[in-house]
């Protein structure tokens, strides 16, 4: 009879699957090149944070739907803190010089953050829904199924407009029943409601400000990523097949929640 206990005690290593985790960093370069490990680790860490962001974004929407604004705000604060970590992580990657990156870049083939389905899922939840990104993932794959679901699901903005309507604001019904797969078109009627919120409803005005923080945080990541790309590969095309820096520059500066920006000049 074996002496091994039937239910071995949970340990740090078994709970966190440390052995499996440490087997997942597999450089492709000969040697391997020293900096490829950093490149792999940082991207894997991003994917884990994207996973957590999606988990928290789903939570915010559920809390808004349950009219629990204090806990929705609390969760938004956590999301913003994660975003700050995501931006700060780029500093580590910027310690890699262009030549260090070039030492293994060719081994990436067509791999690029461009193909991160979780990043696209975050974009979908936040309202940037480009259907063509789904076609990059095989039919029936985890990524494709998740993207298809999030494509048709309401966005965070939709959850917020419905929450405001239940708070007693006269949100136009055309906005409450809008097509959730379409981009948000800024609208005067929605802005009138938001102005009302800012002028006489501090609790919900705070919620609006957290959404603006989120919008700014995503743009900050985009800006820092494109500057890092520019200093690492200049104007070379990306491994993912885009024009690289030029493509990325065009993604910086568009607002996720345009109505919340437009009201600033009217307040
Ligand atoms: C040396 C480091 C990096 C370089 C040179 C680089 C380069 C690029 C380039 C050139 C693109 C444009 C698409 C293409 O490949 O053609 C891109 C897109 C992207 N990269 Fe990076 N990247 C780096 C690090 C990262 C990291 C650490 C992440 C974190 C996940 C990341 C996430 C993304 C995402 C999400 C996109 C798509 C952006 C969009 O389409 O709006 N990148 N990257």
């Amino acid at each position: 009879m074996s002496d091994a206990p039937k239910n071995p005690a949970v340990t740090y290593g078994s709970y966190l699957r440390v052995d499996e985790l440490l087997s997942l960093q597999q450089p492709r370069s000969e040697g391997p090149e020293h900096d490829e490990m950093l490149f792999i680790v940082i991207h894997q860490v991003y994917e884990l944070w994207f996973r957590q962001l999606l988990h928290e974004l789903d939570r915010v929407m559920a809390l808004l739907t349950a009219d629990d604004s204090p806990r929705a705000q609390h969760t938004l604060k956590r999301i913003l803190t994660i975003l700050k970590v995501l931006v700060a992580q780029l500093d580590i990657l910027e310690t890699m010089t262009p030549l260090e990156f070039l030492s293994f870049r060719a081994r990436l083939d067509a791999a690029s953050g461009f193909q991160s389905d979780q990043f696209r899922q975050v974009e979908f939840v936040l309202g940037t829904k480009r259907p063509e990104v789904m076609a990059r993932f095989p039919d029936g794959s985890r990524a494709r199924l998740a993207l298809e679901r999030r494509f048709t699901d309401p966005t965070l903005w939709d959850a917020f407009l419905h929450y405001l309507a239940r708070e007693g604001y006269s949100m136009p019904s055309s906005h409450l029943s809008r097509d959730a797969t379409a981009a948000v078109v800024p609208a005067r009627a929605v802005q009138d409601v938001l102005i009302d919120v800012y002028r006489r409803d501090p609790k919900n005005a705070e919620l609006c400000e957290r959404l603006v923080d989120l919008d700014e945080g995503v743009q900050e990541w985009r800006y820092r990523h494109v500057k890092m790309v520019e200093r690492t590969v200049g104007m070379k095309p990306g491994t993912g097949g885009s024009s690289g820096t030029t493509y990325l520059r065009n993604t910086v500066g568009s607002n996720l929640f345009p109505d919340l920006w437009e009201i600033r000049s009217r307040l």
Side-chain angles (χ1 to χ4, degrees), residues 98-112:
L99 287 179
E100 283 166 343
F101 181 49
L102 280 177
S103 71
F104 62 88
R105 189 190 193 216
R107 305 305 301 265
L108 303 179
D109 293 333
S112 162

Side-chain angles (χ1 to χ4, degrees), residues 35-137:
D35 283 55
E36 192 177 356
M37 182 60 93
L38 171 65
F39 192 77
I40 293 172
V41 167
I42 209 148
H43 279 84
Q44 290 183 340
V45 169
Y46 264 105
E47 286 299 327
L48 289 174
W49 280 127
F50 290 155
R51 178 177 201 152
Q52 187 66 27
L53 270 184
L54 289 165
H55 189 59
E56 302 294 352
L57 284 165
D58 286 340
R59 173 94 165 156
V60 173
M61 293 209 281
L63 289 167
L64 284 175
T65 305
D67 298 326
D68 189 344
S69 73
R71 288 205 294 163
Q73 281 225 42
H74 173 73
T75 308
L76 272 170
K77 273 186 77 178
R78 179 177 294 167
I79 289 173
L80 295 168
T81 312
I82 295 172
L83 258 178
K84 285 201 183 306
V85 170
L86 293 190
V87 173
Q89 275 185 185
L90 291 173
D91 289 342
I92 310 174
L93 213 43
E94 281 187 342
T95 64
M96 184 175 69
T97 67
L99 287 179
E100 283 166 343
F101 181 49
L102 280 177
S103 71
F104 62 88
R105 189 190 193 216
R107 305 305 301 265
L108 303 179
D109 293 333
S112 162
F114 206 45
Q115 297 157 340
S116 165
D117 72 275
Q118 291 204 102
F119 181 80
R120 299 303 173 200
Q121 287 188 54
V122 171
E123 284 191 323
F124 280 11
V125 177
L126 298 180
T128 307
K129 291 186 175 177
R130 286 182 290 142
E132 64 272 19
V133 307
M134 289 187 284
R136 295 189 196 128
F137 302 94

Side-chain angles (χ1 to χ4, degrees), residues 183-194:
V184 170
V185 179
R188 185 87 180 180
V190 173
Q191 291 159 26
D192 290 343
V193 170
L194 294 172

